[in-house]
Amino acid sequence: MIIDYRSDTVTKPTHGMLDAMMKASVGDDVFGEDPGINQLEQMAAEMFGMEAALFCPSGTMTNQIAIKVHTRPGDEVICDKLSHIYQYEGGGIAFNSGASVKLIEGMRGLVTADEVEAGINPDDVHKAKTSLVSLENTSNRGGGSCYDFSEIKKIKNVCVNHNLTLHLDGARLFNALVAKNESPKLYGETFDSISICLSKSLGCPVGSLLLGTKDFIKQSRRIRKVFGGGMRQAGYLAAAGIYALTHNINRLSEDHKHAKLVAQTLLKKDFTGHMLPVETNIIIFEVVGHHYTAKSLAEKLRTNDIYCIAISPTQIRMVFHLDITPEMVQRTIQVIQAV
Ligand SMILES: *Cc1c(COP(=O)(O)O)cnc(C)c1O
């Protein structure tokens, strides 16, 4: 039994999801004729109270499309230094949009309204034009940390006052919504655009959605084509997405519970140094002492069929998801107690 905590992207479709995919009726989505895609996009838009949505192959693409539509070459994007759009999208902000970044040293990947305001460039020909603020909720590199919505509201006010657009990388937004008991509509009314991943903790094999106004999504659809992301009979994937939005959101609290149980076990071990607060489905902890490095501890766990990643020379990350059963959590706890 392999217990895979490397990422919440490793999940495989369940029988229920596969069944829904098999039953999909499909058409050519580049012609706008795939009924499942149209239904999924409408369903997601309604869920967030936003005007429209666009299905894309990945969260990198939904983020990069949003940045492309919201900026002009030479503009500047404000984001936290740990953010996925900066760290893990292959330099896409520069590559695709010709924009620069103003990095904020936030706390666990989360920024404050004051930090955002301080990061805005003055209206001066020497300076890049600040045009976009991008937040990440939950923050991946912040250990699944969640915003307090009151801070997002303040950031929104700063954006309104300075005429900046506000994007949300919500790859794991549903984890935050479940952990904080918040409604998607709250986010829909606040952000100009939202990216959500269906292929993370929601358990789909492929897919992300970009949400925004009708006009924004119209522009985004054009950029998606330019980026090579227009898909044809994508309704098979839409069926998985509809299934996930219907069945796999409330159960996320289970993943959060599992993460806390394993975290408690880790905290009793000598090799566990600083651990980021476990708010959702991610554990990031430091490995200390003479017995293990992050790499050798990950290797040791791997010999026990427990897979996780050393994300830095000193840190290990474990991500919980719907293919992790209570039995696997029990087994993990036993192995950790024994190593
Ligand atoms: C996974 C992830 C993405 C998108 O990743 P893809 O693999 O391109 O779907 C975006 N933002 C965050 C925070 C992520 O964790």
Side-chain angles (χ1 to χ4, degrees):
M1 177 173 73
I2 286 169
I3 310 175
D4 198 342
Y5 296 109
R6 287 172 302 168
S7 175
D8 43 10
T9 55
V10 301
T11 55
K12 299 194 177 126
T14 56
H15 289 300
M17 183 177 278
L18 282 172
D19 200 40
M21 293 170 78
M22 288 294 284
K23 290 188 179 127
S25 57
V26 296
D28 189 323
D29 179 50
V30 175
F31 296 158
E33 289 177 1
D34 189 287
I37 290 286
N38 294 339
Q39 190 191 335
L40 171 65
E41 289 175 350
Q42 197 185 337
M43 179 181 178
E46 274 169 17
M47 198 171 197
F48 283 83
M50 294 177 97
E51 284 178 14
L54 182 70
F55 182 76
C56 291
S58 72
T60 299
M61 190 180 281
T62 43
N63 281 332
Q64 291 298 320
I65 289 173
I67 294 163
K68 182 72 182 165
V69 173
H70 289 314
T71 63
R72 292 293 163 265
D75 283 3
E76 195 156 275
V77 180
I78 296 179
C79 62
D80 185 89
K81 70 173 193 298
L82 299 179
S83 56
H84 195 279
I85 59 164
Y86 174 69
Q87 294 281 356
Y88 304 118
E89 298 187 7
I93 299 173
F95 192 99
N96 297 315
S97 299
S100 65
V101 285
K102 175 71 63 75
L103 297 179
I104 296 178
E105 300 248 349
M107 268 276 275
R108 294 187 287 133
L110 312 177
V111 302
T112 66
D114 289 344
E115 287 166 339
V116 169
E117 187 143 42
I120 300 169
N121 287 335
D123 185 6
D124 173 336
V125 290
H126 297 87
K127 292 295 200 175
K129 181 174 179 282
T130 306
S131 59
L132 173 65
V133 176
S134 181
L135 308 182
E136 188 175 309
N137 199 22
T138 69
S139 165
N140 171 15
R141 206 57 180 69
S145 51
C146 305
Y147 273 95
D148 274 330
F149 196 77
S150 59
E151 197 62 39
I152 293 180
K153 268 280 182 236
K154 287 188 203 154
I155 294 170
K156 174 67 177 176
N157 283 337
V158 170
C159 291
V160 169
N161 292 339
H162 292 85
N163 208 14
L164 310 175
T165 45
L166 183 59
H167 172 70
L168 178 65
D169 177 355
R172 296 187 183 82
L173 179 56
F174 288 107
N175 293 90
L177 295 178
V178 166
K180 294 268 189 184
N181 199 18
E182 290 164 341
S183 115
K185 294 215 164 60
L186 206 56
Y187 283 77
E189 69 195 21
T190 306
F191 286 88
D192 296 294
S193 56
I194 298 178
S195 158
I196 58 172
C197 284
L198 300 168
S199 56
K200 292 270 165 76
S201 26
L202 294 187
C204 289
V206 178
S208 286
L209 285 157
L210 183 59
L211 300 136
T213 63
K214 277 196 181 115
D215 179 57
F216 169 80
I217 292 298
K218 186 168 177 230
Q219 294 179 66
S220 297
R221 198 174 288 281
R222 168 175 283 275
I223 303 298
R224 185 185 69 174
K225 194 76 184 81
V226 176
F227 284 179
M231 294 181 285
R232 303 298 177 170
Q233 286 71 37
Y236 297 109
L237 300 175
I242 292 164
Y243 184 91
L245 290 179
T246 310
H247 295 98
N248 291 349
I249 294 175
N250 289 334
R251 62 153 303 286
L252 291 172
S253 56
E254 188 85 357
D255 299 340
H256 302 173
K257 197 178 78 190
H258 288 164
K260 287 201 172 78
L261 283 171
V262 172
Q264 281 162 12
T265 309
L266 282 167
L267 283 168
K268 292 188 187 123
K269 302 298 288 190
D270 290 343
F271 59 68
T272 303
H274 179 67
M275 181 186 284
L276 294 175
V278 179
E279 295 186 49
T280 52
N281 67 327
I282 300 177
I283 301 176
I284 293 179
F285 67 100
E286 215 187 354
V287 180
V288 295
H290 301 301
H291 285 302
Y292 295 109
T293 61
K295 192 160 168 264
S296 71
L297 180 59
E299 278 161 8
K300 177 76 185 170
L301 292 171
R302 200 179 171 95
T303 61
N304 288 282
D305 286 340
I306 294 171
Y307 293 7
C308 51
I309 297 182
I311 53 164
S312 79
T314 56
Q315 289 172 305
I316 285 185
R317 186 184 77 160
M318 301 175 80
V319 188
F320 292 73
H321 52 76
L322 94 177
D323 286 3
I324 299 291
T325 63
E327 294 71 36
M328 290 178 181
V329 171
Q330 281 318 310
R331 165 86 188 136
T332 304
I333 288 171
Q334 285 164 5
V335 169
I336 290 169
Q337 282 169 343
V339 295

